[in-house]
Amino acid sequence: MTSKAIVVFSGGQDSTTCLIQALTQYDEVHGITFDYGQRHRQEIEIAQSLGQKLGLASHKVLDVSLLNELAISSLTRDNIPVSHTLMDNGLPNTFVPGRNILFLTLAGIYAYQIGADAVITGVCETDFSGYPDCRNDFVKAMELALTQGMDRDLALITPLMWLDKAETWALADKYNALSLIRDETLTCYNGIKGSGCGTCRACELRRCGLSTYLDNKKAVLQRLEQK
């Protein structure tokens, strides 16, 4: 029986690392990317380019611009600058409310249609930037809801959930993809490929993780293997 998985794929460091790992674990890996009118729209083109380069079985780009209409965030409004300042509710202004609820729901529906039994997402509780929809409890709740709602087993797999950014870089290196992840992915909230703008929270996490890994390769790889 052919094993199939869907990767929620943004073209960023985390989802690309998950995709590269999934290609070694499943017979067919399909990508799904969401166009929600995000500030860093280049990520869609980068995801498409990487999907072709890495050999996805298929790659679906879905228009979910309705999310942009409903969710007010610095990632959905050009007139709201990306900021380190927390909003009144204690969350970063880059948080897009409902984004992962919608993404995992649609990915689950797509998995049902093509007969995939796993949806892989690069969310992480260790370096989750304060986003409530990147926590393990949320993912487990979504997995239960999708399984019950479609009466079909579906696993939501989170390979990075308990990894810090240094360990995520180590995972990329384990699959000989360190240079590709460093140079060809887009993680920056301001839409700059590779090393990014260097000042947004996403760039800071990425840079600090890479520096930690490169300075302590052996120790970080050992930590990774123990998880």
Side-chain angles (χ1 to χ4, degrees):
M1 183 176 178
T2 302
S3 61
K4 298 180 184 180
I6 292 172
V7 175
V8 178
F9 186 45
S10 70
Q13 175 188 359
D14 293 342
S15 65
T16 306
T17 301
C18 288
L19 171 57
I20 288 167
Q21 182 184 56
L23 288 167
T24 71
Q25 298 173 331
Y26 294 88
D27 298 319
E28 287 184 17
V29 179
H30 302 260
I32 187 166
T33 299
F34 299 99
D35 180 353
Y36 60 98
Q38 55 267 56
R39 176 190 291 266
H40 40 299
R41 294 184 58 76
Q42 300 97 314
E43 73 176 23
I44 298 169
E45 295 175 4
I46 288 171
Q48 289 174 313
S49 175
L50 285 170
Q52 290 179 347
K53 182 172 185 175
L54 294 170
L56 281 172
S58 72
H59 189 190
K60 184 177 288 293
V61 178
L62 288 185
D63 179 353
V64 290
S65 53
L66 78 165
L67 179 62
N68 191 291
E69 296 179 29
L70 297 172
I72 298 174
S73 160
S74 64
L75 297 190
T76 60
R77 298 290 187 276
D78 289 337
N79 64 340
I80 302 176
V82 173
S83 170
H84 291 283
T85 303
L86 299 181
M87 298 184 292
D88 292 341
N89 60 6
L91 297 176
N93 83 340
T94 50
F95 173 60
V96 182
R99 178 171 58 177
N100 284 340
I101 297 172
L102 180 63
F103 289 1
L104 291 176
T105 299
L106 294 174
I109 295 169
Y110 186 41
Y112 186 99
Q113 295 301 327
I114 69 169
D117 56 10
V119 169
I120 300 169
T121 177
V123 298
C124 171
E125 188 162 321
T126 307
D127 285 331
F128 75 135
S129 300
Y131 297 167
D133 61 355
C134 288
R135 295 181 298 201
N136 190 59
D137 286 349
F138 160 74
V139 175
K140 292 304 179 187
M142 282 297 299
E143 181 180 76
L144 179 61
L146 290 167
T147 298
Q148 291 187 345
M150 294 190 289
D151 194 23
R152 180 179 180 273
D153 287 341
L154 178 70
L156 298 185
I157 297 176
T158 54
L160 311 183
M161 181 58 74
W162 307 114
L163 305 187
D164 61 28
K165 269 293 181 285
E167 291 161 350
T168 300
W169 282 110
L171 184 61
D173 203 10
K174 176 181 176 180
Y175 292 105
N176 301 310
L178 185 67
S179 295
L180 181 144
I181 299 294
R182 184 185 59 212
D183 300 331
E184 298 186 37
T185 62
L186 192 161
T187 303
C188 174
Y189 289 145
N190 289 307
I192 301 173
K193 183 179 173 182
S195 298
C197 70
T199 59
C200 73
R201 180 60 176 159
C203 284
E204 288 181 351
L205 285 171
R206 178 180 168 121
R207 182 181 65 250
C208 289
L210 180 59
S211 177
T212 299
Y213 174 60
L214 293 177
D215 289 343
N216 306 273
K217 274 191 175 186
K218 185 176 180 180
V220 177
L221 282 166
Q222 285 178 341
R223 288 205 318 261
L224 176 66
E225 292 303 320
Q226 291 168 359
K227 292 188 174 182

